[in-house]
């Protein structure tokens, strides 16, 4: 039991390699569901359908043969709603609770009609002792998303908000575990999945401002209790695109020449006083980790060779992914190389002018074939210019 007859009945997935077919899961992922056992029994969210057998066993271990009176659906993404149709077969009398858009999606995904309890922002539902209040949080990160607040126990069932990658290794509540591995996975989860929706996240946080929250029960990751304030602060800073003083240098390279430019830039920035520097080869490191650090740090320097009279493919993809997240308040420098026709530098500039809109720092460096004393000096100047901009 978590608290006040609220029980965890979720499952762990340690087998999936890519979340949503996109994001690596080195520590696995949890699909969290919760039971409130009161005069009425209420289930909050379900789990991915592949884990339904374990899910039903977890539920029955808590309530035995008691019926489930209400099923609250905070989010319709299939990793949470996937068990809806099967659950209805086991508990045909259950009343599904959701908002108007929830039921529209439910009909489309599972053929379940609008036969439940439709709630609007601020509506309440009594389970006996526990009083639930529903807060609509559209576009965090789907249009139907909402959160459920147990105003009796001061527990927030937050859907995907405040979630993170990582399976639960025995313990469920943060105060019972070592949380070190979850913090960067929370940033990676936010930046890749929720990152585009900073304004809706801010709107949701404003709706919850001043509310006493002793536990956050998200649909992925630990139940937050000891670290509630820290978790809310992380989401607040990320959704405002606030960043630390630091520098991400990412590059594409075919034969090592562009990589040498990146090394010179990094050394110059470090010698000029930048301590937080991370470097990534865009063809080796999964982009989700690079995106995570673009959210963390204010400085970004990118570089790549010209390829087929355009920009090196993996860098083109990365810039598209960064642009898609509408990140604000970043400093950008860039460099490129070519053998006989230079296009990379111009293409990166085009990305910034048309999509990224970051503040330009230093002079772009374009190298023909290999590093020369002149291009080395230009790379050093770019690293120093970024250091000066980051340090104010």
């Amino acid at each position: 039991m978590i608290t006040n007859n609220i029980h965890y009945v979720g499952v762990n997935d340690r087998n999936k390699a890519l979340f949503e077919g996109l994001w690596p899961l080195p520590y696995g992922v949890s699909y969290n569901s919760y039971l409130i056992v009161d005069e009425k029994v209420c289930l909050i969210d379900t789990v991915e359908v592949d884990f339904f057998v374990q899910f039903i066993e977890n539920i029955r271990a808590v309530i035995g043969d008691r019926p489930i009176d209400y099923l609250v659906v905070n989010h319709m993404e299939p990793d949470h709603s996937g068990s809806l149709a099967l659950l209805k077969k086991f508990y045909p009398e259950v009343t599904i609770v959701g908002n108007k858009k929830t039921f529209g999606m439910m009909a489309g995904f599972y053929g379940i009609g609008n036969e439940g309890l439709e709630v609007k922002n601020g509506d309440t539902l009594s389970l006996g002792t526990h009083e639930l209040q529903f807060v609509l949080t559209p576009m965090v990160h789907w249009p139907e998303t909402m959160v459920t607040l147990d105003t009796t126990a001061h527990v927030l069932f937050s859907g995907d908000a405040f979630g993170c990658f990582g399976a639960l290794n025995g313990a469920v509540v943060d105060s019972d575990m070592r949380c070190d591995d979850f913090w960067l996975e929370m940033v990676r989860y936010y930046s890749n999945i929720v990152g585009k929706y900073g304004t809706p996240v801010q709107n949701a946080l404003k709706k919850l401002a001043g509310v006493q929250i002793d536990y956050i029960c998200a649909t992925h990751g630990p139940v937050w209790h000891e670290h509630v304030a820290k978790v809310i602060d992380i989401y607040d800073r990320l959704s405002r695109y606030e960043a630390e003083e630091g520098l991400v240098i990412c590059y594409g390279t075919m034969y090592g020449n562009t990589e040498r430019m990146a090394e010179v830039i990094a050394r110059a920035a470090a010698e000029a006083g930048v301590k937080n520097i991370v470097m990534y080869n865009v063809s080796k490191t999964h982009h989700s980790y690079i995106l995570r650090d673009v959210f963390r740090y204010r400085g970004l320097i990118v570089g790549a060779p010209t390829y087929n009279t355009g920009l090196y493919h993996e860098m083109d993809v990365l810039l598209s992914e960064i642009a898609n997240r509408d990140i604000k308040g970043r400093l950008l420098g860039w460099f490129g190389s070519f053998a006989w026709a230079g296009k990379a530098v111009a293409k990166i500039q085009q990305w910034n002018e048309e999509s990224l809109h970051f503040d330009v720092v230093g002079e772009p460096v374009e190298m023909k074939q290999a590093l020369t004393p002149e291009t080395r000096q230009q790379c050093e100047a770019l690293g120093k210019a970024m250091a000066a901009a980051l340090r104010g």
Side-chain angles (χ1 to χ4, degrees):
M1 186 170 68
I2 297 168
T3 184
N4 292 68
N5 287 318
I6 298 173
H7 302 262
Y8 178 84
V9 290
V11 298
N12 286 301
D13 186 347
R14 306 180 195 281
N15 299 314
K16 184 172 282 144
L18 295 174
F19 188 76
E20 298 180 339
L22 292 167
W23 320 117
L25 293 172
Y27 306 110
V29 68
S30 66
Y31 309 118
N32 298 343
S33 176
Y34 306 92
L35 268 176
I36 305 172
V37 182
D38 201 338
E39 293 174 21
K40 300 288 187 180
V41 174
C42 181
L43 180 67
I44 310 285
D45 293 308
T46 70
V47 303
E48 191 169 280
V49 68
D50 292 352
F51 296 87
F52 184 76
V53 172
Q54 181 65 57
F55 182 46
I56 283 293
E57 289 179 1
N58 293 347
I59 291 171
R60 287 182 166 167
V62 175
I63 61 171
D65 294 330
R66 279 192 69 177
I68 297 175
D69 299 287
Y70 296 106
L71 165 59
V72 173
V73 180
N74 284 319
H75 184 24
M76 274 298 299
E77 205 164 2
D79 56 331
H80 308 300
S81 69
S83 293
L84 272 172
L86 283 175
L87 193 80
K88 280 278 288 179
K89 293 183 182 299
F90 278 75
Y91 299 97
E93 302 302 318
V94 67
T95 298
I96 298 177
V97 181
N99 59 68
K100 183 176 182 180
K101 291 181 179 178
T102 306
F103 287 107
M105 289 188 177
M106 207 177 300
F109 275 117
Y110 309 114
I112 298 174
N114 188 3
E115 57 204 41
L117 175 61
E118 182 181 318
V119 295
K120 297 180 176 62
N121 188 64
D123 284 355
T124 60
L125 174 66
S126 177
L127 303 179
T129 303
H130 292 257
E131 187 87 8
L132 304 184
Q133 183 177 28
F134 305 100
V135 180
L136 272 57
T137 57
M139 297 317 301
V140 184
H141 53 120
W142 276 28
E144 88 303 348
T145 53
M146 68 180 192
V147 299
T148 301
L149 185 66
D150 185 330
T151 57
T152 304
H154 306 296
V155 174
L156 177 68
F157 300 97
S158 62
D160 273 352
F162 308 117
C164 65
F165 294 131
L168 302 177
N169 301 321
V172 171
V173 181
D174 63 350
S175 52
D176 298 328
M177 67 177 74
R178 183 180 64 84
C179 293
D180 298 14
D181 292 336
F182 287 107
W183 300 122
L184 283 181
E185 286 296 85
M186 174 174 282
V187 178
R188 190 166 69 93
Y189 176 89
Y190 178 93
S191 58
N192 286 277
I193 295 175
V194 189
K196 182 181 179 69
Y197 305 103
T199 298
V201 171
Q202 280 293 302
N203 291 337
L205 289 172
K206 289 173 184 175
K207 288 182 178 181
L208 295 170
V211 175
Q212 181 180 342
I213 300 173
D214 293 341
Y215 291 83
I216 296 176
C217 295
T219 48
H220 297 294
V223 170
W224 302 110
H225 175 52
E226 180 180 338
H227 298 297
V228 164
K230 179 176 180 176
V231 167
I232 293 174
D233 181 64
I234 289 172
Y235 264 66
D236 179 41
R237 287 187 290 105
L238 289 171
S239 60
R240 288 187 286 108
Y241 304 102
E242 184 180 306
E244 304 172 41
E245 181 186 300
L247 173 59
V248 180
I249 300 175
C250 49
Y251 61 88
T253 192
M254 289 184 284
Y255 304 109
N257 292 303
T258 316
E259 184 176 46
R260 292 185 185 99
M261 298 176 75
E263 295 284 4
V264 172
I265 293 166
R267 176 62 64 88
E271 290 177 348
V274 181
K275 293 184 177 180
N276 291 327
I277 300 176
V278 290
M279 298 184 67
Y280 293 112
N281 181 329
V282 294
S283 297
K284 182 178 180 181
T285 300
H286 194 277
H287 292 183
S288 67
Y289 295 94
I290 303 174
L291 289 167
R292 176 198 68 190
D293 287 344
V294 172
F295 268 81
R296 291 175 69 199
Y297 297 126
R298 195 159 64 96
L300 173 64
I301 296 179
V302 299
T306 298
Y307 196 89
N308 284 341
T309 68
L311 183 60
Y312 186 72
H313 173 74
E314 287 299 317
M315 180 57 68
D316 206 39
V317 172
L318 175 65
L319 293 176
S320 172
E321 292 169 339
I322 294 172
N324 178 259
R325 279 148 183 84
D326 197 26
I327 302 169
K328 299 172 177 63
R330 296 300 183 267
L331 305 175
L332 177 68
W334 64 91
F335 61 99
S337 64
F338 67 98
W340 69 91
K343 294 291 184 180
V345 165
K347 289 290 187 181
I348 295 172
Q349 179 173 333
Q350 183 179 352
W351 264 112
N352 192 50
E353 290 176 348
E354 295 180 359
S355 302
L356 299 175
H357 309 300
F358 292 167
D359 293 333
V360 178
V361 173
E363 291 293 327
V365 184
E366 188 168 48
M367 180 182 73
K368 183 176 182 179
Q369 292 159 1
L371 201 63
T372 65
E374 181 182 3
T375 52
R376 177 180 289 275
Q377 289 179 355
Q378 292 171 345
C379 288
E380 289 173 345
L382 178 56
K384 291 175 182 178
M386 179 60 76
L390 287 172
R391 304 192 73 199

